[in-house]
Amino acid sequence: MSNVGFSAYAALGSVKPTQVSEKPAQNPTEKSGLAEGFSTFKAALQGAEQTAMQTAVSGADPHAMVEALAQAELVLDAAVTVRDKVVEAYQELLRMPV
């Protein structure tokens, strides 16, 4: 299995509803879900790139490279889907009568 630590199915299974509070976050160093998603996305793509470079330079396991690239493709597809949904929601807001 790939050493990239992101699974779209596991990520979707761990989504929980949040409660809106009037107070700001107590700990400013705490990551939000969105920031954590971006860092996971970045780490997955960097891991795939590193694995591909290792395979090209040192002849490492090509199977690991294929797994890492497939995982990166899955992460990228998920990010594009989220982006499309955000754009679609924004366009719906613009269509609303005031």
Side-chain angles (χ1 to χ4, degrees):
M1 196 86 195
S2 174
N3 60 356
V4 177
F6 180 80
S7 171
Y9 297 113
L12 288 175
S14 67
V15 174
K16 297 177 184 147
T18 59
Q19 295 181 0
V20 178
S21 67
E22 296 176 9
K23 295 185 266 182
Q26 297 296 329
N27 189 356
T29 60
E30 245 181 61
K31 285 187 174 181
S32 70
L34 186 60
E36 189 175 319
F38 283 134
S39 64
T40 303
F41 172 74
K42 181 180 176 184
L45 292 182
Q46 286 176 338
E49 183 178 357
Q50 183 179 11
T51 304
M53 282 192 290
Q54 287 174 351
T55 302
V57 172
S58 65
D61 184 21
H63 181 69
M65 181 192 72
V66 171
E67 283 184 352
L69 292 177
Q71 190 70 21
E73 183 181 6
L74 180 66
V75 170
L76 184 62
D77 286 345
V80 168
T81 301
V82 169
R83 183 211 54 196
D84 290 345
K85 290 293 183 179
V86 168
V87 169
E88 183 181 329
Y90 180 72
Q91 288 174 344
E92 280 293 318
L93 286 173
L94 288 177
R95 283 189 222 123
M96 292 177 109
V98 178

Coordinates of all heavy atoms in Angstrom, one line a residue:
M1 N 0.8 -1.2 0.0 CA 0.0 0.0 0.0 C 0.9 1.2 0.0 O 2.0 1.2 0.4 CB -0.9 -0.1 1.2 CG -2.1 0.8 1.3 SD -3.4 0.1 0.4 CE -4.5 1.5 0.2
S2 N 0.4 2.3 -0.4 CA 1.1 3.6 -0.5 C 1.4 4.2 0.9 O 0.6 4.0 1.8 CB 0.3 4.6 -1.3 OG 0.9 5.8 -1.3
N3 N 2.5 4.9 1.0 CA 2.8 5.5 2.3 C 2.1 6.9 2.4 O 2.4 7.7 3.3 CB 4.3 5.6 2.5 CG 5.0 6.4 1.4 OD1 4.4 6.9 0.5 ND2 6.3 6.6 1.6
V4 N 1.3 7.3 1.4 CA 0.6 8.6 1.4 C -0.6 8.4 2.4 O -1.4 7.5 2.2 CB 0.1 9.0 0.0 CG1 -0.6 10.3 0.1 CG2 1.3 9.1 -0.9
G5 N -0.7 9.3 3.4 CA -1.7 9.1 4.4 C -3.0 9.8 4.2 O -3.5 10.4 5.1
F6 N -3.6 9.6 3.0 CA -4.9 10.2 2.8 C -5.8 9.2 2.1 O -5.4 8.6 1.1 CB -4.8 11.5 1.9 CG -6.1 12.1 1.6 CD1 -6.7 12.9 2.6 CD2 -6.8 11.9 0.5 CE1 -7.9 13.5 2.3 CE2 -8.0 12.5 0.2 CZ -8.6 13.3 1.2
S7 N -7.0 9.0 2.6 CA -8.0 8.2 2.0 C -9.2 9.0 1.9 O -9.7 9.5 2.9 CB -8.2 6.9 2.8 OG -9.3 6.2 2.3
A8 N -9.8 9.2 0.7 CA -11.0 10.0 0.5 C -12.1 9.3 1.3 O -13.0 10.0 1.9 CB -11.3 10.1 -0.9
Y9 N -12.2 8.0 1.3 CA -13.3 7.3 2.0 C -13.2 7.5 3.5 O -14.2 7.7 4.2 CB -13.4 5.9 1.6 CG -13.7 5.7 0.1 CD1 -12.7 5.1 -0.7 CD2 -14.9 6.0 -0.4 CE1 -13.0 5.0 -2.1 CE2 -15.1 5.9 -1.8 CZ -14.2 5.3 -2.6 OH -14.4 5.2 -3.9
A10 N -12.0 7.4 4.0 CA -11.8 7.6 5.4 C -12.1 9.1 5.8 O -12.7 9.3 6.9 CB -10.4 7.2 5.8
A11 N -11.7 10.0 5.0 CA -11.9 11.4 5.2 C -13.4 11.7 5.3 O -13.9 12.5 6.1 CB -11.2 12.3 4.2
L12 N -14.2 11.1 4.3 CA -15.6 11.4 4.3 C -16.3 10.7 5.5 O -17.3 11.3 6.0 CB -16.2 10.8 3.0 CG -15.9 11.6 1.8 CD1 -16.4 10.9 0.5 CD2 -16.4 13.0 1.8
G13 N -15.8 9.6 6.0 CA -16.3 8.9 7.1 C -16.1 9.7 8.4 O -16.8 9.5 9.4
S14 N -15.1 10.5 8.5 CA -14.8 11.2 9.7 C -15.4 12.6 9.8 O -15.2 13.3 10.7 CB -13.3 11.3 9.8 OG -12.7 12.2 8.8
V15 N -16.2 13.0 8.8 CA -16.8 14.3 8.8 C -18.0 14.3 9.8 O -18.8 13.4 9.8 CB -17.4 14.6 7.4 CG1 -18.2 15.9 7.4 CG2 -16.3 14.7 6.4
K16 N -17.9 15.3 10.7 CA -18.9 15.4 11.7 C -19.5 16.8 11.6 O -18.8 17.8 11.3 CB -18.3 15.2 13.1 CG -17.7 13.8 13.3 CD -17.0 13.7 14.6 CE -16.4 12.3 14.6 NZ -15.2 12.3 15.4
P17 N -20.8 17.0 12.0 CA -21.4 18.3 12.0 C -20.7 19.2 13.1 O -20.3 18.7 14.1 CB -22.8 18.1 12.3 CG -22.9 16.7 12.8 CD -21.7 16.0 12.3
T18 N -20.6 20.5 12.8 CA -20.0 21.4 13.7 C -21.0 22.2 14.3 O -22.1 22.5 13.7 CB -18.9 22.2 13.1 OG1 -19.5 23.0 12.0 CG2 -17.8 21.4 12.5
Q19 N -20.7 22.7 15.5 CA -21.7 23.6 16.2 C -21.1 25.1 16.0 O -19.9 25.3 16.2 CB -21.8 23.3 17.6 CG -22.5 22.0 17.9 CD -22.6 21.7 19.3 OE1 -22.2 22.4 20.2 NE2 -23.2 20.5 19.7
V20 N -22.0 26.0 15.7 CA -21.6 27.4 15.6 C -21.6 28.0 16.9 O -22.5 27.9 17.7 CB -22.6 28.1 14.6 CG1 -22.2 29.6 14.5 CG2 -22.6 27.4 13.3
S21 N -20.5 28.6 17.3 CA -20.4 29.3 18.5 C -20.1 30.8 18.3 O -19.6 31.2 17.3 CB -19.3 28.7 19.4 OG -18.0 29.0 18.8
E22 N -20.5 31.6 19.2 CA -20.3 33.1 19.1 C -18.9 33.5 19.5 O -18.5 34.6 19.2 CB -21.4 33.8 19.9 CG -22.8 33.5 19.4 CD -23.9 34.2 20.3 OE1 -23.5 35.0 21.2 OE2 -25.0 33.9 20.0
K23 N -18.3 32.6 20.2 CA -16.9 32.9 20.7 C -15.9 32.5 19.7 O -16.1 31.5 19.0 CB -16.6 32.2 22.0 CG -17.5 32.6 23.2 CD -17.1 31.9 24.4 CE -17.9 30.7 24.6 NZ -17.6 29.9 25.8
P24 N -14.8 33.3 19.6 CA -13.7 32.8 18.7 C -13.0 31.6 19.3 O -13.2 31.3 20.4 CB -12.8 34.0 18.6 CG -13.1 34.8 19.9 CD -14.5 34.6 20.2
A25 N -12.3 30.9 18.4 CA -11.6 29.7 18.9 C -10.6 30.1 20.0 O -10.0 31.1 20.0 CB -10.8 29.1 17.7
Q26 N -10.6 29.2 21.0 CA -9.7 29.4 22.2 C -8.3 29.3 21.9 O -7.5 30.0 22.4 CB -10.1 28.4 23.3 CG -11.5 28.5 23.8 CD -11.8 29.8 24.5 OE1 -10.9 30.4 25.1 NE2 -13.0 30.3 24.3
N27 N -7.9 28.4 21.0 CA -6.5 28.1 20.7 C -6.3 28.6 19.2 O -6.7 27.9 18.3 CB -6.2 26.6 20.8 CG -4.7 26.4 20.7 OD1 -3.9 27.3 20.4 ND2 -4.4 25.1 20.9
P28 N -5.6 29.7 19.0 CA -5.4 30.2 17.6 C -4.5 29.2 16.8 O -4.5 29.3 15.6 CB -4.7 31.5 17.8 CG -4.2 31.5 19.2 CD -5.0 30.6 20.0
T29 N -3.8 28.3 17.4 CA -2.9 27.4 16.7 C -3.7 26.2 16.2 O -3.1 25.4 15.4 CB -1.7 27.0 17.5 OG1 -2.2 26.3 18.7 CG2 -0.8 28.1 17.9
E30 N -4.9 26.0 16.6 CA -5.7 24.9 16.2 C -6.1 25.1 14.7 O -6.4 26.1 14.2 CB -7.0 24.9 16.9 CG -7.2 23.7 17.8 CD -8.5 23.7 18.6 OE1 -9.6 23.7 17.9 OE2 -8.5 23.7 19.8
K31 N -6.0 24.0 13.9 CA -6.3 24.0 12.5 C -7.8 23.8 12.3 O -8.4 23.0 13.0 CB -5.5 22.9 11.8 CG -4.1 23.2 11.6 CD -3.5 22.1 10.7 CE -2.0 22.4 10.4 NZ -1.5 21.4 9.5
S32 N -8.3 24.5 11.3 CA -9.7 24.3 11.0 C -9.7 23.1 10.0 O -8.7 22.6 9.6 CB -10.3 25.5 10.3 OG -9.7 25.7 9.0
G33 N -10.9 22.6 9.8 CA -11.1 21.5 8.9 C -10.6 21.8 7.5 O -9.9 20.9 6.8
L34 N -10.8 23.0 7.0 CA -10.3 23.4 5.7 C -8.8 23.5 5.6 O -8.2 23.0 4.7 CB -11.0 24.8 5.4 CG -10.8 25.3 4.0 CD1 -11.3 24.3 2.9 CD2 -11.4 26.6 3.8
A35 N -8.2 24.1 6.7 CA -6.7 24.2 6.7 C -6.1 22.8 6.8 O -5.1 22.5 6.1 CB -6.3 25.0 7.9
E36 N -6.7 21.9 7.5 CA -6.2 20.5 7.6 C -6.4 19.8 6.3 O -5.5 19.1 5.8 CB -7.0 19.8 8.7 CG -6.4 18.4 9.0 CD -7.2 17.8 10.2 OE1 -7.5 18.4 11.1 OE2 -7.4 16.5 10.1
G37 N -7.5 20.1 5.6 CA -7.7 19.5 4.2 C -6.6 20.0 3.2 O -6.1 19.2 2.5
F38 N -6.3 21.2 3.3 CA -5.3 21.8 2.4 C -3.9 21.2 2.7 O -3.2 20.8 1.8 CB -5.2 23.3 2.5 CG -6.3 24.0 1.8 CD1 -7.0 25.1 2.4 CD2 -6.6 23.7 0.5 CE1 -8.0 25.7 1.8 CE2 -7.7 24.3 -0.2 CZ -8.3 25.4 0.5
S39 N -3.6 21.0 4.0 CA -2.3 20.5 4.3 C -2.2 19.0 4.0 O -1.2 18.5 3.5 CB -2.0 20.7 5.8 OG -2.9 19.9 6.6
T40 N -3.3 18.3 4.1 CA -3.3 16.9 3.7 C -3.2 16.8 2.1 O -2.5 15.9 1.6 CB -4.7 16.2 4.1 OG1 -4.8 16.3 5.5 CG2 -4.7 14.7 3.7
F41 N -3.9 17.7 1.4 CA -3.8 17.7 0.0 C -2.3 18.0 -0.5 O -1.8 17.3 -1.3 CB -4.7 18.8 -0.6 CG -4.6 19.1 -2.0 CD1 -5.1 18.2 -3.0 CD2 -3.9 20.2 -2.5 CE1 -5.0 18.5 -4.3 CE2 -3.8 20.5 -3.8 CZ -4.3 19.6 -4.7
K42 N -1.7 18.9 0.2 CA -0.3 19.3 -0.2 C 0.6 18.1 0.2 O 1.5 17.8 -0.6 CB 0.1 20.5 0.6 CG 1.5 21.0 0.4 CD 1.8 22.2 1.2 CE 3.3 22.6 1.0 NZ 3.6 23.7 1.9
A43 N 0.4 17.5 1.3 CA 1.3 16.4 1.7 C 1.2 15.2 0.7 O 2.1 14.5 0.4 CB 1.0 15.9 3.1
A44 N -0.1 14.9 0.3 CA -0.3 13.8 -0.6 C 0.4 14.1 -2.0 O 1.0 13.2 -2.5 CB -1.8 13.6 -0.8
L45 N 0.3 15.3 -2.5 CA 0.9 15.6 -3.7 C 2.4 15.6 -3.6 O 3.1 15.1 -4.5 CB 0.4 16.9 -4.3 CG -1.0 17.0 -4.7 CD1 -1.4 18.3 -5.3 CD2 -1.3 15.9 -5.7
Q46 N 3.0 16.1 -2.5 CA 4.4 16.1 -2.3 C 4.9 14.7 -2.2 O 6.0 14.3 -2.7 CB 4.8 16.9 -1.1 CG 4.7 18.4 -1.3 CD 5.0 19.2 -0.1 OE1 4.9 18.7 1.0 NE2 5.3 20.5 -0.3
G47 N 4.2 13.8 -1.5 CA 4.6 12.4 -1.3 C 4.6 11.7 -2.7 O 5.5 10.9 -2.9
A48 N 3.6 11.9 -3.5 CA 3.6 11.3 -4.8 C 4.8 11.8 -5.7 O 5.4 11.0 -6.4 CB 2.3 11.6 -5.5
E49 N 5.0 13.1 -5.6 CA 6.1 13.6 -6.4 C 7.5 13.1 -5.9 O 8.3 12.7 -6.7 CB 6.1 15.2 -6.2 CG 7.2 15.8 -7.1 CD 7.2 17.3 -7.0 OE1 6.3 17.9 -6.3 OE2 8.0 18.0 -7.6
Q50 N 7.6 13.0 -4.6 CA 8.9 12.4 -4.0 C 9.1 10.9 -4.4 O 10.1 10.5 -4.8 CB 8.9 12.5 -2.5 CG 10.2 12.1 -1.9 CD 10.1 12.2 -0.4 OE1 9.1 12.5 0.2 NE2 11.3 12.1 0.3
T51 N 8.0 10.2 -4.4 CA 8.1 8.8 -4.8 C 8.4 8.6 -6.3 O 9.2 7.8 -6.6 CB 6.7 8.1 -4.5 OG1 6.4 8.2 -3.1 CG2 6.8 6.6 -4.8
A52 N 7.8 9.5 -7.1 CA 8.1 9.4 -8.5 C 9.6 9.8 -8.8 O 10.2 9.2 -9.6 CB 7.2 10.4 -9.3
M53 N 10.1 10.8 -8.1 CA 11.5 11.2 -8.3 C 12.4 10.1 -7.8 O 13.4 9.8 -8.5 CB 11.8 12.5 -7.5 CG 11.3 13.7 -8.2 SD 11.9 15.2 -7.6 CE 11.1 15.3 -6.0
Q54 N 12.1 9.4 -6.7 CA 12.9 8.3 -6.2 C 12.9 7.2 -7.2 O 14.0 6.5 -7.4 CB 12.4 7.8 -4.8 CG 12.7 8.7 -3.7 CD 12.1 8.3 -2.4 OE1 11.3 7.3 -2.4 NE2 12.4 8.9 -1.3
T55 N 11.8 6.9 -7.8 CA 11.7 5.8 -8.8 C 12.5 6.2 -10.0 O 13.3 5.3 -10.6 CB 10.3 5.5 -9.2 OG1 9.5 5.2 -8.0 CG2 10.2 4.4 -10.2
A56 N 12.5 7.4 -10.5 CA 13.2 7.9 -11.7 C 14.7 7.9 -11.4 O 15.5 7.5 -12.3 CB 12.7 9.2 -12.1
V57 N 15.1 8.3 -10.2 CA 16.5 8.5 -10.0 C 17.2 7.2 -9.5 O 18.2 6.8 -10.1 CB 16.7 9.6 -8.9 CG1 18.2 9.7 -8.5 CG2 16.3 10.9 -9.4
S58 N 16.6 6.5 -8.6 CA 17.3 5.4 -8.0 C 16.7 4.0 -8.4 O 17.1 3.0 -8.0 CB 17.3 5.5 -6.5 OG 15.9 5.4 -6.0
G59 N 15.7 4.1 -9.2 CA 15.1 2.8 -9.7 C 14.3 2.1 -8.6 O 14.3 0.9 -8.5
A60 N 13.7 2.9 -7.7 CA 12.9 2.3 -6.6 C 11.7 1.5 -7.1 O 11.5 1.5 -8.3 CB 12.5 3.4 -5.6
D61 N 10.9 1.0 -6.2 CA 9.8 0.1 -6.6 C 8.8 0.9 -7.5 O 8.2 1.8 -7.1 CB 9.1 -0.3 -5.3 CG 8.0 -1.3 -5.6 OD1 8.0 -1.9 -6.7 OD2 7.1 -1.5 -4.8
P62 N 8.6 0.5 -8.8 CA 7.7 1.2 -9.6 C 6.2 1.0 -9.2 O 5.4 1.8 -9.4 CB 7.9 0.5 -11.0 CG 8.8 -0.6 -10.8 CD 9.4 -0.6 -9.5
H63 N 6.0 -0.1 -8.5 CA 4.6 -0.3 -8.0 C 4.2 0.7 -7.0 O 3.1 1.2 -7.0 CB 4.5 -1.7 -7.4 CG 3.1 -2.0 -6.8 ND1 2.1 -2.2 -7.7 CD2 2.7 -2.2 -5.6 CE1 1.0 -2.5 -6.9 NE2 1.3 -2.5 -5.7
A64 N 5.2 1.1 -6.1 CA 4.9 2.2 -5.1 C 4.7 3.5 -5.8 O 3.9 4.3 -5.4 CB 6.1 2.3 -4.2
M65 N 5.4 3.8 -6.9 CA 5.2 5.0 -7.7 C 3.8 5.0 -8.3 O 3.1 6.0 -8.2 CB 6.2 5.1 -8.8 CG 6.0 6.4 -9.6 SD 6.9 6.5 -11.1 CE 6.0 5.4 -12.1
V66 N 3.3 3.9 -8.8 CA 2.0 3.9 -9.4 C 0.9 4.1 -8.3 O 0.0 4.8 -8.5 CB 1.8 2.5 -10.2 CG1 0.3 2.4 -10.6 CG2 2.7 2.5 -11.4
E67 N 1.1 3.5 -7.2 CA 0.2 3.7 -6.1 C 0.1 5.1 -5.6 O -0.9 5.7 -5.4 CB 0.5 2.8 -4.9 CG 0.2 1.3 -5.1 CD 0.5 0.5 -3.8 OE1 1.1 1.0 -2.9 OE2 0.1 -0.7 -3.8
A68 N 1.3 5.7 -5.5 CA 1.4 7.1 -5.0 C 0.8 8.0 -6.0 O 0.0 9.0 -5.6 CB 2.8 7.5 -4.7
L69 N 1.0 7.8 -7.3 CA 0.4 8.7 -8.3 C -1.1 8.5 -8.4 O -1.9 9.4 -8.6 CB 1.0 8.4 -9.7 CG 2.5 8.9 -9.8 CD1 3.1 8.5 -11.1 CD2 2.6 10.3 -9.5
A70 N -1.6 7.2 -8.2 CA -3.0 7.0 -8.2 C -3.7 7.7 -7.0 O -4.8 8.3 -7.1 CB -3.3 5.5 -8.1
Q71 N -3.0 7.6 -5.8 CA -3.5 8.3 -4.6 C -3.5 9.8 -4.9 O -4.5 10.5 -4.5 CB -2.6 8.0 -3.4 CG -3.2 8.4 -2.1 CD -4.4 7.6 -1.7 OE1 -4.6 6.5 -2.2 NE2 -5.2 8.2 -0.8
A72 N -2.5 10.4 -5.5 CA -2.5 11.8 -5.8 C -3.6 12.2 -6.7 O -4.2 13.3 -6.6 CB -1.1 12.2 -6.4
E73 N -3.9 11.3 -7.7 CA -4.9 11.6 -8.6 C -6.3 11.6 -7.9 O -7.1 12.5 -8.2 CB -5.0 10.6 -9.7 CG -6.0 10.8 -10.8 CD -6.0 9.7 -11.9 OE1 -5.3 8.7 -11.8 OE2 -6.8 9.9 -12.8
L74 N -6.5 10.7 -7.0 CA -7.7 10.7 -6.2 C -7.9 11.9 -5.4 O -8.9 12.5 -5.3 CB -7.7 9.4 -5.3 CG -8.9 9.2 -4.4 CD1 -10.1 8.9 -5.2 CD2 -8.6 8.1 -3.4
V75 N -6.8 12.4 -4.7 CA -6.8 13.6 -3.9 C -7.1 14.8 -4.8 O -7.9 15.7 -4.5 CB -5.5 13.8 -3.2 CG1 -5.4 15.1 -2.5 CG2 -5.3 12.7 -2.2
L76 N -6.5 14.9 -6.0 CA -6.7 16.0 -6.9 C -8.2 16.0 -7.4 O -8.8 17.1 -7.4 CB -5.7 15.9 -8.1 CG -5.8 17.1 -9.0 CD1 -5.5 18.4 -8.4 CD2 -4.9 16.8 -10.2
D77 N -8.7 14.8 -7.7 CA -10.1 14.8 -8.1 C -11.0 15.2 -7.0 O -12.0 15.9 -7.3 CB -10.5 13.3 -8.5 CG -9.9 12.9 -9.9 OD1 -9.4 13.8 -10.6 OD2 -9.9 11.7 -10.2
A78 N -10.7 14.9 -5.8 CA -11.6 15.3 -4.6 C -11.5 16.8 -4.5 O -12.5 17.5 -4.2 CB -11.1 14.6 -3.4
A79 N -10.3 17.4 -4.6 CA -10.1 18.8 -4.5 C -10.8 19.6 -5.6 O -11.5 20.6 -5.4 CB -8.6 19.2 -4.5
V80 N -10.8 19.1 -6.8 CA -11.5 19.7 -7.9 C -13.0 19.6 -7.7 O -13.7 20.6 -8.0 CB -11.1 19.0 -9.3 CG1 -12.0 19.4 -10.4 CG2 -9.7 19.4 -9.6
T81 N -13.5 18.5 -7.2 CA -14.9 18.4 -6.9 C -15.4 19.4 -5.9 O -16.4 20.0 -6.0 CB -15.2 16.9 -6.4 OG1 -14.9 16.0 -7.5 CG2 -16.7 16.8 -6.1
V82 N -14.6 19.5 -4.8 CA -14.9 20.5 -3.8 C -14.9 21.9 -4.4 O -15.8 22.7 -4.1 CB -13.9 20.4 -2.6 CG1 -14.1 21.6 -1.6 CG2 -14.1 19.1 -1.9
R83 N -13.9 22.2 -5.2 CA -13.8 23.6 -5.8 C -15.1 23.8 -6.7 O -15.7 24.9 -6.6 CB -12.6 23.7 -6.7 CG -12.4 25.0 -7.3 CD -11.8 25.1 -8.6 NE -12.4 24.2 -9.6 CZ -11.9 23.8 -10.7 NH1 -10.6 24.1 -11.0 NH2 -12.5 23.0 -11.5
D84 N -15.5 22.8 -7.5 CA -16.6 22.9 -8.3 C -17.9 23.2 -7.5 O -18.7 24.0 -7.9 CB -16.8 21.7 -9.2 CG -15.7 21.6 -10.3 OD1 -15.0 22.6 -10.5 OD2 -15.6 20.5 -10.8
K85 N -18.0 22.5 -6.4 CA -19.2 22.7 -5.5 C -19.2 24.1 -4.9 O -20.3 24.7 -4.8 CB -19.2 21.7 -4.4 CG -19.5 20.3 -4.9 CD -20.9 20.2 -5.4 CE -21.2 18.8 -5.8 NZ -22.6 18.6 -6.3
V86 N -18.0 24.6 -4.5 CA -18.0 26.0 -4.0 C -18.3 27.0 -5.0 O -19.1 27.9 -4.8 CB -16.5 26.2 -3.4 CG1 -16.4 27.7 -3.1 CG2 -16.3 25.4 -2.2
V87 N -17.8 26.8 -6.2 CA -18.2 27.8 -7.3 C -19.7 27.7 -7.6 O -20.3 28.7 -7.8 CB -17.3 27.5 -8.6 CG1 -17.8 28.2 -9.8 CG2 -15.9 27.8 -8.3
E88 N -20.2 26.5 -7.6 CA -21.6 26.3 -7.9 C -22.5 27.0 -6.8 O -23.5 27.7 -7.1 CB -22.0 24.8 -8.0 CG -23.4 24.5 -8.3 CD -23.7 23.0 -8.4 OE1 -22.7 22.3 -8.7 OE2 -24.8 22.6 -8.1
A89 N -22.1 26.9 -5.6 CA -22.8 27.5 -4.5 C -22.7 29.0 -4.6 O -23.7 29.7 -4.4 CB -22.3 27.0 -3.1
Y90 N -21.6 29.5 -4.9 CA -21.4 31.0 -5.1 C -22.3 31.5 -6.2 O -22.9 32.5 -6.1 CB -19.9 31.3 -5.4 CG -19.7 32.8 -5.5 CD1 -19.7 33.6 -4.5 CD2 -19.4 33.3 -6.8 CE1 -19.5 35.0 -4.6 CE2 -19.2 34.6 -7.0 CZ -19.2 35.5 -5.9 OH -19.0 36.8 -6.0
Q91 N -22.3 30.8 -7.3 CA -23.2 31.2 -8.4 C -24.7 31.2 -8.1 O -25.4 32.0 -8.5 CB -22.9 30.3 -9.6 CG -21.6 30.6 -10.3 CD -21.3 29.6 -11.4 OE1 -21.9 28.5 -11.5 NE2 -20.2 29.9 -12.2
E92 N -25.1 30.2 -7.2 CA -26.4 30.1 -6.8 C -26.7 31.4 -5.9 O -27.8 31.9 -6.0 CB -26.7 28.9 -5.9 CG -26.9 27.6 -6.8 CD -28.3 27.7 -7.5 OE1 -29.3 28.2 -7.0 OE2 -28.3 27.4 -8.7
L93 N -25.8 31.8 -5.1 CA -26.0 33.0 -4.3 C -26.2 34.2 -5.1 O -27.0 35.1 -4.8 CB -24.8 33.2 -3.3 CG -24.8 32.2 -2.1 CD1 -23.5 32.4 -1.3 CD2 -26.0 32.4 -1.2
L94 N -25.4 34.3 -6.2 CA -25.5 35.4 -7.1 C -26.8 35.5 -7.8 O -27.3 36.6 -8.2 CB -24.3 35.4 -8.1 CG -23.0 35.7 -7.5 CD1 -21.9 35.6 -8.7 CD2 -22.9 37.1 -6.9
R95 N -27.4 34.3 -8.0 CA -28.7 34.3 -8.7 C -29.9 34.6 -7.9 O -31.0 34.8 -8.4 CB -28.9 32.9 -9.3 CG -28.1 32.7 -10.6 CD -28.5 31.4 -11.2 NE -27.3 30.7 -11.7 CZ -26.9 29.5 -11.3 NH1 -27.7 28.8 -10.6 NH2 -25.8 29.0 -11.8
M96 N -29.7 34.6 -6.5 CA -30.8 34.9 -5.6 C -31.2 36.4 -5.7 O -30.4 37.3 -5.8 CB -30.4 34.6 -4.2 CG -30.1 33.2 -3.9 SD -29.6 33.0 -2.2 CE -31.0 32.2 -1.5
P97 N -32.6 36.6 -5.7 CA -33.1 37.9 -5.8 C -32.8 38.6 -4.4 O -32.9 38.0 -3.3 CB -34.6 37.8 -6.1 CG -34.9 36.4 -5.7 CD -33.7 35.6 -5.8
V98 N -32.6 39.9 -4.4 CA -32.3 40.6 -3.2 C -33.5 41.3 -2.7 O -34.4 41.7 -3.3 CB -31.2 41.6 -3.4 CG1 -30.9 42.4 -2.1 CG2 -29.9 40.9 -3.8

